[in-house]
Amino acid sequence: MTDSHSDALVFFGATGDLAYKKIFPALQAMLKRGHLDVPITGVARDGWKLEQLRARAHDSLEKHGE
């Protein structure tokens, strides 16, 4: 069996509670361990600006990250 490689990681619900409590910290841990070397795209509902999403991700990592 050969190793497969993905071109990107896309996750839906980037503004939701699951992303806030689990997905952002998990992505951070994967990056720190060198297990994630592809672009990451988060899909979210309309009405959020990029800066709002960045602030939420930052807050998530402060509260739930390593």
Side-chain angles (χ1 to χ4, degrees):
M1 180 179 260
T2 62
D3 290 337
S4 61
H5 179 77
S6 297
D7 294 326
L9 175 93
V10 178
F11 71 98
F12 294 83
T15 58
D17 287 339
L18 180 63
Y20 183 79
K21 293 177 182 175
K22 299 291 182 179
I23 294 176
F24 288 127
L27 292 173
Q28 179 190 46
M30 291 174 68
L31 283 167
K32 284 185 173 183
R33 292 181 181 98
H35 297 293
L36 188 60
D37 62 351
V38 296
I40 302 166
T41 301
V43 179
R45 64 181 144 186
D46 288 339
W48 279 59
K49 301 215 182 300
L50 182 56
E51 288 307 315
Q52 288 175 286
L53 180 57
R54 284 183 178 158
R56 184 156 168 87
H58 185 266
D59 188 54
S60 166
L61 297 178
E62 284 186 350
K63 291 183 178 167
H64 303 287
E66 294 179 1

